[in-house]
Amino acid sequence: MKRVFLVCVAICCVGSLRAQDVHVTQIDQQALLVSPALCGFSSKGSIQLGTRQQWKTALAPFQTQVLNGQYRFGAQGRQDHATLALGFQATLDQSGDLSLKASSLATHVAAKVPLSRYAQLGAGLYVGFGQRSIEAGGQWGSQYNGLTYDPSMNPGVFTAQRYAYSFADLGFGASYQYVRGQVREQTLSKWQSALGFYHVNRPNDAFLSATNSVGMYVRWTFYSQAEICLRNTHSALVPMLFYQQQHLAHEWVYGLCYKSYIKGNCFSRIDQQQSLQFGLFHRWNDAFIVRFGVQFKQIQAHVSYDLTLSDLSKIPKVQGAFELQLAYQFRE
């Protein structure tokens, strides 16, 4: 039964299936997955597209796409003024032989208020719509006749060729940002941290029995990233730490990028910057991550590959994940 996917077993055992949130490696390139409060936080505005393919050699690889746009209203290039930002995010995630799909569309709003000349505090929320769907088919334990698998037997799971449910979604977050002005020595030029809380309304999350559903578990996140300019060089170090938890599932990602400026430096306007970066990251008990990025003024591209380190590395067809993130940032 090579084409039996693990989610089928879950359905047979408990009568429901819970789809996890969209998962990406380059979480700093998809700020709205980190916290609604990061909407419009890093630039005047941006359009970002991400695509991820996990376990490409498997019969049915996991595929994820994320698209978001953000725009910040308020004084351009000023950290001492309050600002308001609006954004949107659309996601599509597909996995498994039965085409388990999870899609969402959300509107984000965030506000920032100055704490000092260089620091700002932000808060944000999102209101969205989500859908989960699964196609009938596959091989089920209920089709085992006692001796062998019998495809003519009714699996007794779905009464239609396709099953789907939808739900309203709500979340909020908070953030802190520090942006330093031009200086001539090794210094911290940028630092941002954020908390995010997703699915706080606990929407229904069951395929087969809405009455027995306990609701989608809240996903909460913590994120922190800095940019440290190196003295007498056109380069910087960019460390990052990310943690998220949803019920019993949790994830730690941490690492460091080295950023070399071909044109401009840490304090230049984005349309005056050209840079290359290379990073090494680790997802605790799961994967080692290699990452490369290039920036040409307002256009950025980042690619990464996850090298599986967990027990899944023993299974040839479920190793590795490739991810591409593209972004265009507006001028201040």
Side-chain angles (χ1 to χ4, degrees), residues 116-132:
S116 67
R117 181 180 178 184
Y118 301 120
Q120 288 188 325
L121 187 66
L125 61 85
Y126 78 88
V127 178
F129 171 86
Q131 185 179 69
R132 305 287 190 263

Side-chain angles (χ1 to χ4, degrees), residues 248-275:
L248 300 179
H250 60 90
E251 175 185 48
W252 282 101
V253 179
Y254 49 89
L256 181 72
C257 275
Y258 174 78
K259 191 173 184 179
S260 177
Y261 286 92
I262 300 172
K263 182 179 180 181
N265 57 40
C266 303
F267 306 98
S268 302
R269 287 187 346 205
I270 190 170
D271 58 313
Q272 298 176 346
Q273 292 180 352
Q274 296 180 32
S275 65

Side-chain angles (χ1 to χ4, degrees), residues 61-106:
F62 286 54
Q63 300 179 69
T64 303
Q65 284 79 41
V66 183
L67 173 66
N68 74 62
Q70 308 167 52
Y71 189 81
R72 186 181 71 223
F73 302 89
Q76 296 186 5
R78 297 291 298 273
Q79 297 296 314
D80 55 351
H81 283 62
T83 60
L84 178 70
L86 297 177
F88 77 91
Q89 180 170 264
T91 68
L92 175 62
D93 188 78
Q94 180 173 318
S95 57
D97 293 345
L98 300 185
S99 296
L100 172 63
K101 293 182 180 179
S103 58
S104 68
L105 181 63

Side-chain angles (χ1 to χ4, degrees), residues 14-18 163 204-215:
V14 300
S16 66
L17 175 63
R18 305 190 183 283
Y163 192 88
N204 171 52
D205 188 30
F207 271 100
L208 302 182
S209 177
T211 57
N212 294 329
S213 174
V214 297

Side-chain angles (χ1 to χ4, degrees), residues 175-194:
S175 57
Y176 171 84
Q177 183 182 45
Y178 174 91
V179 179
R180 184 73 177 177
Q182 176 74 56
V183 294
R184 297 181 178 276
E185 59 185 17
Q186 180 172 322
T187 186
L188 175 69
S189 63
K190 297 177 184 177
W191 174 37
Q192 62 181 20
S193 293

